[in-house]
Amino acid sequence: MNVLVTGAAGFIGSHFARLVRERESTKVVILDALTYAGHLSTIRDLIEQGIPFVHGRIQDRSLVESTVREHGIDHVVNFAAETHNDRSILESGAFIESNVLGVQALLEVCRRCGVEQFVQVSTDEVYGSILEGHFTEGSPLEPNTPYSASKAGGDLFVRAYIKSFGMAALLTRGGNTYGPFQYPEKLIPFFVTRLIDGKRVPLYGEGTQVREWMHARDHATGILAVLERGVPGEAYNVGDVNARENREVVRVLLEETGRDPSFVKKIPDPRAGAHDQRYAMTCTKIAALGWKPEIEFERGLRETVRWYIQNEAWWRPIVAEPDFQEFVRAFYGPSLGDEL
Ligand SMILES: NC(=O)c1ccc[n+]([C@@H]2O[C@H](COP(=O)([O-])OP(=O)(O)OC[C@H]3O[C@@H](n4cnc5c(N)ncnc54)[C@H](O)[C@@H]3O)[C@@H](O)[C@H]2O)c1
């Protein structure tokens, strides 16, 4: 199998590329635009092992097509996306570019080049928020943020290519993911890196929003199960059944960084609309492929905090970048003020 992994200089894609790399019979090629969220430092080990890296956007059809032809690519797994909900609240244009137009461009190249299988990495957020019960793969798409709306747009294009062209495409809809190499704007690494530096962390409201957390390595094995054993044309939820309120997660982060509860600053949610209260889904379909998550949440979370403590060389240059600073100022400035 020759797999093109797009967006692998980011968080989950890098875990997936590393996992696939362990398969001796599989050749991996990475394509990534190195947006603010993508860093070569995240995949330095893979590049040093000789994995080909192509710098470019998934919207660039001629680049993607020449990459597919040059490397004899027969499978494509797409992680490339704008991924931060909070940024999509500030400005959503880039989300349409990568998450809708980019997916359509990739699908078109795959169709033209006769790629055997295309896996689109999507999110459970396309289903919206659910107060009770669980979403299944058949639940309606009711996204609530510009980010999740753009991901739903990508999902619908995948569906259209399956229906219109009989394309062998599959969708994975993953839950909230944590682990090493996550860009420090996301809740867990944002809080951990601030706590390491002795800064207070901003918690929306009482922190009662519920999320089901999954380790990036488990998310990657789930996507690999779908790539290897999924039924073309189908969507698969990928998640771990361990719902936690955000405030419970924060308690572990405080403990592991040696900070007390005074390091939490409760702030009003900067969104004018509602914050999705709860995400939850059933994952029986992917379980039938023989997949289950392996990493127990609290252990994985504590190990992740220790990884950030031990890998300042990875995240310090990132939090010093103007892009990171500007986002934090724009989003948290009004509530954190001098504490930024
Ligand atoms: N992080 C989560 O909790 C989570 C949960 C479910 C699903 N997902 C999905 O998983 C995928 C990966 O998420 P992540 O958290 O690893 O993201 P990330 O933001 O860490 O990485 C995204 C990567 O894509 C690259 N990229 C962005 N736009 C591109 C473009 N147009 N062309 C080429 N490369 C581009 C970036 O440079 C970066 O390396 C996304 O599709 C996301 O929607 C994420």
Side-chain angles (χ1 to χ4, degrees), residues 12 40 49 68 70 90 147-149 158 163 171 215 228 276:
I12 307 169
L40 288 178
Q49 289 164 25
V68 166
E70 181 188 339
L90 293 172
Y147 161 67
S148 49
V158 174
K163 297 287 178 190
L171 280 156
H215 195 281
E228 291 183 335
D276 283 356

Side-chain angles (χ1 to χ4, degrees), residues 9-12 32-33 35 38 58-59 83 98 122 147 151 174-175 177:
F11 170 45
I12 307 169
D32 196 295
T35 67
I58 53 173
Q59 297 93 306
T83 62
S98 291
S122 187
Y147 161 67
K151 292 296 292 186
T177 307

Side-chain angles (χ1 to χ4, degrees), residues 3-251:
V3 191
L4 177 64
V5 186
T6 53
F11 170 45
I12 307 169
S14 66
H15 285 266
F16 179 80
R18 220 163 263 124
L19 179 70
V20 177
R21 169 81 185 137
E22 292 166 13
R23 294 266 198 287
E24 282 191 358
S25 56
T26 305
K27 174 179 170 185
V28 181
V29 177
I30 292 174
L31 183 143
D32 196 295
L34 300 180
T35 67
Y36 78 92
H39 292 86
L40 288 178
S41 57
T42 301
I43 49 168
R44 182 159 295 136
D45 55 332
L46 297 175
I47 290 174
E48 282 172 4
Q49 289 164 25
I51 299 244
F53 174 79
V54 180
H55 183 202
R57 288 153 45 101
I58 53 173
Q59 297 93 306
D60 186 342
R61 291 186 194 193
S62 60
L63 177 74
V64 177
E65 184 163 341
S66 62
T67 304
V68 166
R69 294 198 189 282
E70 181 188 339
H71 295 280
I73 296 296
D74 43 37
H75 290 69
V76 173
V77 184
N78 178 37
F79 291 85
E82 288 295 329
T83 62
H84 196 33
N85 254 321
D86 292 349
R87 281 185 192 252
S88 80
I89 305 286
L90 293 172
E91 164 56 42
S92 52
F95 288 74
I96 308 290
E97 287 283 335
S98 291
N99 303 359
V100 184
L101 300 178
V103 173
Q104 188 268 344
L106 270 184
L107 286 162
E108 193 50 33
V109 171
C110 290
R111 185 174 78 86
R112 253 192 276 158
C113 296
V115 165
E116 282 173 32
Q117 194 155 283
F118 175 81
V119 177
Q120 166 65 5
V121 178
S122 187
T123 165
D124 63 345
E125 295 190 36
V126 296
Y127 299 125
S129 178
I130 189 166
L131 288 179
E132 282 178 15
H134 293 80
F135 291 120
T136 68
E137 289 82 354
S139 298
L141 304 190
E142 294 180 339
N144 291 327
T145 67
Y147 161 67
S148 49
S150 68
K151 292 296 292 186
D155 285 19
L156 292 178
F157 260 100
V158 174
R159 176 189 158 87
Y161 270 68
I162 293 166
K163 297 287 178 190
S164 301
F165 305 111
M167 199 164 153
L170 302 94
L171 280 156
T172 64
R173 299 204 175 110
N176 263 40
T177 307
Y178 71 96
F181 293 114
Q182 188 169 30
Y183 187 84
E185 68 189 350
K186 303 279 168 56
L187 186 134
I188 288 175
F190 183 55
F191 280 22
V192 171
T193 53
R194 285 184 68 86
L195 290 170
I196 291 172
D197 279 346
K199 293 178 181 166
R200 291 214 288 170
V201 294
L203 188 65
Y204 298 150
E206 293 301 316
T208 53
Q209 298 88 358
V210 177
R211 302 287 181 265
E212 293 183 327
W213 293 95
M214 166 170 56
H215 195 281
R217 175 87 184 178
D218 282 333
H219 197 160
T221 60
I223 294 166
L224 186 59
V226 170
L227 175 71
E228 291 183 335
R229 302 189 290 285
V231 176
E234 295 290 316
Y236 292 86
N237 291 342
V238 188
D240 199 351
V241 188
N242 56 18
R244 295 284 191 294
E245 289 186 349
N246 283 347
R247 58 185 173 184
E248 295 175 60
V249 174
V250 172
R251 179 186 56 75

